[in-house]
Amino acid sequence: AGKAGEISLQMPGMYMGENRVKLAAQADGSLQGKGLLVRCPTGKRVWAAEVTLPGSDPAAPAKDTFTFELAE
């Protein structure tokens, strides 16, 4: 079995370095991974998480992006 997927974390409008979290399949069918978000020195707290999951066609994985704001 290959990788279960990954999440790419980015700050819209500001490059904060490459930040990818590998997801691993769990026995209960869920996916799990660990990552770290750094605090932006400008005080911005909005991030975007692009989730990529492999599908039946390796050339066309499923992708979706979620935007969220970190708490203080």
Side-chain angles (χ1 to χ4, degrees), residues 9-19 37-42 44 46-47:
L9 298 162
Q10 301 135 15
M11 182 171 273
M14 178 175 285
Y15 181 70
M16 294 292 288
E18 186 156 327
N19 191 348
L37 294 174
V38 296
R39 180 172 286 185
C40 178
T42 67
K44 294 180 181 181
V46 176
W47 285 81

Side-chain angles (χ1 to χ4, degrees), residues 3-71:
K3 67 181 179 179
E6 72 176 18
I7 300 173
S8 175
L9 298 162
Q10 301 135 15
M11 182 171 273
M14 178 175 285
Y15 181 70
M16 294 292 288
E18 186 156 327
N19 191 348
R20 294 184 186 275
V21 177
K22 301 293 182 190
L23 300 175
Q26 303 300 297
D28 65 359
S30 66
L31 300 176
Q32 187 175 36
K34 284 188 179 183
L36 178 70
L37 294 174
V38 296
R39 180 172 286 185
C40 178
T42 67
K44 294 180 181 181
R45 299 187 323 239
V46 176
W47 285 81
E50 182 183 71
V51 180
T52 304
L53 301 174
S56 57
D57 179 359
K63 289 187 180 187
D64 207 345
T65 302
F66 304 89
T67 303
F68 60 96
E69 186 171 340
L70 297 177

